[in-house]
């Protein structure tokens, strides 16, 4: 049961304070480690096949190192006092979650839209997406924000909590390392096609179960929040697998169905046009309030998953008590 309370407190901590900029974040250290290791690999390996083999070591060393360092730190603190170790674990798990940061980023775009400050809304969106935003109109700004919030319900909330439930802060930190690897080297371009393939594949595997759990939570959340739960269910079944990512389509299609809007379409990345499969049906025009609705769905799903973590821990605790009895 202590693990459940640690997860609950970690989530509450993230909801309250997020990631203050004055506190060093573990992801910054992970990013520096990834960059340093990439430089070493590229200095010594000069063939595509060699890079592909070396790419296997990136997630092993970075994710394995994150797990080992976190585990060792908690063991060391536990030698002084268990409460010290538990406090550190709460803080470390909280750093792997980004519910407040995700909400704040989405609502910043929303407030700019409500003030009709289109350049500021585009700039704020550009801080959280990879696509070009300089010439987007209001519906496209809304679409980009909703897609980003929906997709990151998995990466930034459910997945780290899922791994914290299984293996505490060490496994949650290892997941965050895998996710950071994917964001840095998991691209299918000339530079990272060979070096980043293993990192991208591991990120897909790591998010497979959490993405599908998230879709279910979003469907239930749509019903609780009096949105279109049937539409969410229908769009997940129809559109989730059309997304280029094996996981991102599940939360995006669920949100699209719940809100009665259509996500996906044409995007531009560094001047190059790209098309992403449509998710959902446009029963009405997109509006700024869809960002608020998506944020509510995010918080409901996150809270529901934390509740499931508590129930799972309670079940294990009760089962253990019965066996001992």
């Amino acid at each position: 049961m202590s693990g459940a309370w640690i997860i609950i407190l970690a989530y509450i901590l993230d909801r309250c304070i997020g990631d203050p900029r004055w506190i060093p974040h573990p992801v910054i250290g992970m990013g520096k480690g990834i960059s340093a290791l990439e430089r070493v690999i590229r200095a010594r390996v000069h063939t595509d096949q060699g890079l592909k083999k070396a790419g296997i070591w990136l997630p092993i060393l970075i994710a394995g190192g994150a797990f080992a360092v976190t585990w060792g730190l908690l063991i060391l603190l536990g030698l002084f006092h268990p409460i010290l170790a538990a406090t550190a674990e709460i803080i470390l798990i909280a750093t792997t979650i980004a519910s407040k940061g995700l909400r704040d980023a989405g609502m910043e775009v929303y407030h700019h839209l409500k003030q009709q400050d289109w350049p500021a809304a585009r700039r704020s969106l550009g801080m959280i997406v990879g696509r070009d935003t300089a010439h987007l109109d209001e519906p496209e700004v809304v679409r980009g924000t909703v897609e980003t919030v929906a997709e990151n319900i998995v990466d930034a909330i459910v997945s780290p909590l899922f791994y914290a439930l299984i293996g505490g802060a060490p496994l949650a930190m290892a997941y965050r390392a895998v996710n950071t690897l994917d964001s840095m080297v998991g691209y299918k371009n000339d530079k990272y096609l060979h070096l980043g393939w293993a990192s991208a594949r591991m990120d897909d595997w790591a998010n497979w179960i959490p993405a599908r759990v998230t879709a279910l939570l979003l469907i239930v959340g749509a019903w609780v929040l009096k949105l279109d739960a049937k539409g969410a269910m229908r769009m997940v079944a129809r559109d989730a697998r059309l997304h280029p990512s094996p996981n991102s389509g599940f939360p995006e299609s669920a949100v699209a169905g719940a809100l009665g809007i259509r996500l996906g379409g044409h995007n531009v990345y560094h001047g190059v046009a790209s098309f992403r499969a449509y998710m959902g049906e446009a029963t009405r025009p997109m509006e700024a309030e869809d960002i608020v609705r998506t944020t509510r769905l995010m918080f409901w799903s996150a809270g529901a998953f934390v509740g499931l973590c508590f129930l799972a821990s309670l079940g294990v605790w009760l089962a253990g008590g019965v066996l001992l009895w």
Side-chain angles (χ1 to χ4, degrees):
M1 287 299 294
S2 60
W5 285 112
I6 284 173
I7 289 173
I8 292 170
L9 292 173
Y11 176 69
I12 293 173
L13 180 63
D14 177 71
R15 278 288 301 269
C16 292
I17 68 171
D19 297 312
R21 294 183 180 181
W22 55 273
I23 299 178
H25 199 282
V27 169
I28 297 175
M30 293 174 189
K32 291 181 179 179
I34 293 166
S35 297
L37 188 54
E38 180 184 352
R39 287 195 296 269
V40 171
I41 291 173
R42 292 192 182 278
R44 300 189 178 196
V45 181
H46 305 287
T47 66
D48 291 345
Q49 192 62 29
L51 286 173
K52 195 166 186 178
K53 291 180 180 178
I56 299 174
W57 286 101
L58 273 174
I60 292 175
L61 293 175
I62 298 298
F67 182 95
V69 169
T70 306
W71 179 81
L73 176 63
L74 294 177
I75 291 295
L76 180 63
L77 292 175
L79 295 177
F80 290 95
H81 200 285
I83 293 179
L84 187 61
T87 301
E89 186 157 27
I90 291 168
I91 295 171
L92 288 170
I93 292 174
T95 66
T96 69
I97 313 166
S99 61
K100 184 179 185 296
L102 189 57
R103 181 261 180 198
D104 290 349
M107 293 306 293
E108 180 177 313
V109 177
Y110 169 78
H111 290 308
H112 288 317
L113 290 175
K114 297 301 288 185
Q115 295 165 1
Q116 298 186 349
D117 189 347
W118 317 126
R122 296 183 189 111
R123 285 194 300 270
S124 294
L125 176 62
M127 298 295 292
I128 57 175
V129 299
R131 70 193 70 173
D132 299 344
T133 63
H135 303 291
L136 298 182
D137 58 14
E138 181 176 356
E140 285 297 297
V141 171
V142 173
R143 175 170 76 87
T145 308
V146 169
E147 287 175 351
T148 298
V149 173
E151 178 181 356
N152 281 284
I153 296 172
V154 178
D155 293 4
I157 304 175
V158 175
S159 283
L161 289 175
F162 175 78
Y163 288 104
L165 177 65
I166 297 173
L171 197 57
M173 202 62 71
Y175 165 76
R176 180 52 60 208
V178 169
N179 193 245
T180 304
L181 274 164
D182 182 63
S183 67
M184 291 182 66
V185 304
Y187 300 102
K188 294 181 180 179
N189 55 25
D190 292 339
K191 184 176 181 180
Y192 290 115
L193 179 63
H194 301 289
L195 182 62
W197 73 274
S199 297
R201 190 70 57 84
M202 185 169 288
D203 185 72
D204 289 342
W205 292 340
N207 287 307
W208 198 92
I209 293 175
R212 286 145 182 83
V213 171
T214 300
L216 291 174
L217 292 174
L218 287 168
I219 292 169
V220 177
W223 178 77
V224 172
L225 298 175
K226 301 186 185 305
L227 299 171
D228 189 355
K230 291 183 178 179
M233 187 183 305
R234 188 171 68 255
M235 292 305 109
V236 169
R238 192 190 76 178
D239 295 341
R241 290 174 176 80
L242 299 178
H243 198 283
S245 164
N247 301 311
S248 297
F250 284 85
E252 286 190 29
S253 60
V255 168
L259 301 184
I261 61 176
R262 188 176 72 178
L263 302 177
H266 293 279
N267 299 319
V268 178
Y269 299 92
H270 306 292
V272 179
S274 174
F275 178 79
R276 179 178 292 179
Y278 290 122
M279 303 270 149
E281 296 174 350
T283 62
R284 58 174 179 80
M286 273 184 282
E287 57 185 10
E289 295 301 322
D290 288 320
I291 299 173
V292 178
R293 297 181 186 109
T294 304
T295 301
R296 289 173 182 162
L297 278 168
M298 176 194 74
F299 278 139
W300 192 95
S301 302
F305 189 77
V306 171
L308 290 176
C309 289
F310 177 80
L311 292 176
S313 295
L314 178 62
V316 171
W317 180 74
L318 290 174
V322 170
L323 290 175
L324 290 174
W325 182 79

